[in-house]
Amino acid sequence: MRSRGRGGPFGSRERTAERVAQALERIATALRSDAWGESRARGLTPTQAQILGYLRFRGPRGARVSEVAEALAVRAATASESTDALVRKGLVRKARVSEDGRARLVLLTAAGRREADRLAGWPEFLLRAVRALPEAEQAAFLRVLLKTIRELQRAGRIPVSRMCVTCTYFRPYAHPDPKAPHHCAFVDAPFGDGLLRVECQDHQPASAEQAEANWKRFVRAG
Ligand code: SF4
């Protein structure tokens, strides 16, 4: 039988990496198409829908346009144009930031909050697929995704999000219980891989040294 490629059909680590990237691309395509359909049906562009979702997460703190751009990994001009379009639709408003006369905070209006709530659900098809996995596989999948996201953040490909692994309250592998080895010092409670947060309201950024030490411990012990 002929072998395909350098390591044969099942050979090299590189081929596995390519397949993982291919599989992620398939999932991304399904998500993109779902996001387009859902937001178009509601008269919004996907960026406008993402802005509503981000402002919903920020709550009464709102966000500056520059923060919106950073969170969504889009250009400042794109964030600004999309925000202005949402203002015209009555879904967001801009308020002056007291300490800086020129800066403006973007906040959801009541109509914007209702719209953001409607858009907030995860795509049902994706949730169904993930829920079909055994619980241990869901936790392992989450761990792998968090590590991949962290690598992408380090490479500057996606913005740093408010994940446990970059939080000052995170204590990886602080407990001997393999089901709940981590500790959140904010709520003072142990938790397992399946409850690692990707976006947490209570997140406080760790110092570079603490984040690096936590990361090494998290990766090494897992
Ligand atoms: S505060 Fe949130 S992000 Fe920080 S360790 Fe606790 S659960 Fe994780």
Side-chain angles (χ1 to χ4, degrees), residues 162-165 167-171 183-187 191 195-197 199-204:
R162 299 153 69 88
M163 307 194 296
C164 286
V165 290
C167 177
T168 192
Y169 299 120
F170 185 49
R171 310 280 183 271
H183 192 85
C184 170
F186 182 77
V187 291
F191 65 102
L195 292 180
L196 285 162
R197 304 292 299 269
E199 280 287 348
C200 174
Q201 292 267 18
D202 304 312
H203 176 279
Q204 287 296 329

Coordinates of all heavy atoms in Angstrom, one line a residue, residues 162-165 167-171 183-187 191 195-197 199-204, ligand 1:
R162 N -11.6 37.5 29.2 CA -11.6 37.4 30.7 C -11.7 35.9 31.1 O -12.7 35.5 31.7 CB -12.7 38.3 31.2 CG -12.5 39.7 30.8 CD -13.8 40.5 30.7 NE -14.4 40.7 32.0 CZ -14.2 41.7 32.8 NH1 -13.4 42.6 32.4 NH2 -14.8 41.8 33.9
M163 N -10.6 35.2 30.8 CA -10.6 33.7 31.1 C -10.0 33.5 32.5 O -9.1 34.2 32.9 CB -9.8 32.9 30.1 CG -10.2 33.2 28.7 SD -9.5 32.0 27.6 CE -7.7 32.3 27.7
C164 N -10.4 32.3 33.1 CA -9.7 32.0 34.4 C -8.2 32.0 34.3 O -7.5 32.5 35.2 CB -10.2 30.6 34.8 SG -11.9 30.5 35.4
V165 N -7.7 31.4 33.2 CA -6.2 31.3 33.1 C -5.5 32.6 33.1 O -4.2 32.6 33.2 CB -5.8 30.4 31.9 CG1 -6.2 29.0 32.1 CG2 -6.3 30.9 30.6
C167 N -6.6 35.2 35.1 CA -7.2 35.9 36.2 C -6.4 35.9 37.5 O -5.8 34.8 37.8 CB -8.6 35.3 36.5 SG -9.5 36.1 37.9
T168 N -6.4 37.0 38.2 CA -5.6 37.0 39.5 C -6.1 36.1 40.6 O -5.4 35.7 41.5 CB -5.5 38.5 40.0 OG1 -4.5 38.6 41.0 CG2 -6.8 39.0 40.5
Y169 N -7.4 35.7 40.4 CA -8.0 34.9 41.5 C -7.9 33.4 41.2 O -8.3 32.5 41.9 CB -9.6 35.2 41.5 CG -9.9 36.6 41.9 CD1 -10.6 37.4 41.1 CD2 -9.4 37.1 43.2 CE1 -10.9 38.7 41.5 CE2 -9.7 38.4 43.5 CZ -10.5 39.2 42.7 OH -10.8 40.5 43.1
F170 N -7.3 33.1 40.0 CA -7.2 31.7 39.6 C -6.0 31.0 40.3 O -4.9 31.5 40.3 CB -7.0 31.6 38.1 CG -7.0 30.2 37.5 CD1 -8.0 29.3 37.9 CD2 -6.0 29.8 36.6 CE1 -8.0 28.0 37.3 CE2 -6.0 28.5 36.1 CZ -7.0 27.6 36.4
R171 N -6.3 29.8 40.9 CA -5.3 29.0 41.6 C -5.3 27.6 41.0 O -6.1 26.7 41.5 CB -5.5 28.9 43.1 CG -5.8 30.2 43.8 CD -4.5 31.0 44.1 NE -4.7 32.2 44.8 CZ -5.0 33.4 44.2 NH1 -5.0 33.5 42.9 NH2 -5.2 34.4 45.0
H183 N -9.0 26.4 42.1 CA -9.6 27.2 43.1 C -9.8 28.6 42.6 O -8.9 29.2 42.0 CB -8.7 27.3 44.4 CG -9.4 27.8 45.6 ND1 -10.2 27.1 46.4 CD2 -9.5 29.1 46.1 CE1 -10.7 27.8 47.4 NE2 -10.3 29.1 47.2
C184 N -11.0 29.1 42.8 CA -11.3 30.6 42.5 C -11.3 31.3 43.8 O -12.1 31.1 44.7 CB -12.7 30.7 41.8 SG -13.1 32.5 41.7
A185 N -10.3 32.2 44.0 CA -10.1 33.0 45.2 C -11.2 34.0 45.3 O -11.4 34.6 46.4 CB -8.7 33.6 45.3
F186 N -11.9 34.4 44.2 CA -12.9 35.4 44.3 C -14.2 34.9 45.1 O -14.7 35.5 46.0 CB -13.3 35.8 42.9 CG -14.4 36.9 42.9 CD1 -14.0 38.2 43.2 CD2 -15.7 36.7 42.7 CE1 -14.9 39.3 43.2 CE2 -16.7 37.7 42.7 CZ -16.3 39.0 43.0
V187 N -14.6 33.6 44.7 CA -15.7 33.0 45.4 C -15.3 32.1 46.5 O -16.1 31.5 47.2 CB -16.7 32.3 44.4 CG1 -17.4 33.4 43.6 CG2 -16.0 31.3 43.5
F191 N -13.1 24.2 41.9 CA -13.9 23.8 40.7 C -13.0 23.0 39.7 O -11.8 23.0 39.8 CB -14.5 25.1 40.0 CG -13.4 26.0 39.4 CD1 -13.2 26.1 38.0 CD2 -12.7 26.9 40.2 CE1 -12.3 26.9 37.5 CE2 -11.8 27.8 39.7 CZ -11.6 27.8 38.3
L195 N -15.7 23.7 34.5 CA -16.3 25.0 34.9 C -15.3 26.2 34.7 O -15.6 27.3 35.1 CB -16.7 25.0 36.4 CG -17.9 24.1 36.7 CD1 -18.2 24.1 38.2 CD2 -19.1 24.5 35.9
L196 N -14.2 25.9 34.0 CA -13.3 27.0 33.6 C -14.0 28.0 32.8 O -14.8 27.7 31.9 CB -12.1 26.4 32.8 CG -11.1 25.6 33.6 CD1 -10.2 24.8 32.6 CD2 -10.2 26.6 34.4
R197 N -13.9 29.3 33.1 CA -14.6 30.4 32.4 C -13.9 30.9 31.3 O -12.6 31.1 31.3 CB -14.9 31.5 33.4 CG -15.6 31.1 34.7 CD -17.0 30.7 34.4 NE -17.9 31.7 33.8 CZ -18.6 32.6 34.5 NH1 -18.6 32.5 35.8 NH2 -19.3 33.5 33.9
E199 N -15.4 33.8 29.6 CA -15.7 35.2 29.9 C -16.3 35.3 31.3 O -17.4 34.7 31.5 CB -16.7 35.7 28.9 CG -16.1 36.1 27.5 CD -15.3 37.4 27.5 OE1 -15.3 38.1 28.5 OE2 -14.6 37.6 26.5
C200 N -15.6 36.0 32.2 CA -16.2 36.0 33.6 C -16.3 37.5 34.0 O -15.3 38.3 33.9 CB -15.2 35.3 34.5 SG -15.7 35.4 36.2
Q201 N -17.4 37.8 34.5 CA -17.7 39.2 35.0 C -16.8 39.6 36.1 O -16.4 40.8 36.3 CB -19.1 39.3 35.5 CG -20.2 39.2 34.5 CD -20.7 40.5 33.9 OE1 -20.0 41.5 34.1 NE2 -21.8 40.5 33.3
D202 N -16.3 38.6 36.9 CA -15.5 38.9 38.1 C -14.0 38.9 37.8 O -13.2 39.0 38.8 CB -15.9 38.0 39.2 CG -17.4 38.0 39.5 OD1 -17.9 39.2 39.6 OD2 -18.0 37.0 39.6
H203 N -13.7 38.6 36.6 CA -12.2 38.5 36.2 C -11.5 39.8 36.5 O -11.9 40.9 36.3 CB -12.2 38.2 34.7 CG -10.8 38.1 34.2 ND1 -10.1 39.2 33.8 CD2 -10.0 37.0 33.9 CE1 -8.9 38.8 33.3 NE2 -8.9 37.5 33.3
Q204 N -10.3 39.6 37.1 CA -9.4 40.7 37.3 C -8.0 40.2 36.7 O -7.6 39.1 37.1 CB -9.1 41.0 38.8 CG -10.3 41.7 39.5 CD -10.6 43.1 38.9 OE1 -9.7 43.8 38.4 NE2 -11.9 43.5 38.9
Ligands
SF4_1 S1 -13.1 35.3 39.2 FE1 -13.9 34.4 37.4 S2 -12.2 34.3 35.9 FE2 -11.3 34.7 38.0 S3 -10.8 32.6 38.7 FE3 -12.9 33.1 39.5 S4 -14.3 32.2 38.0 FE4 -12.2 32.3 37.0

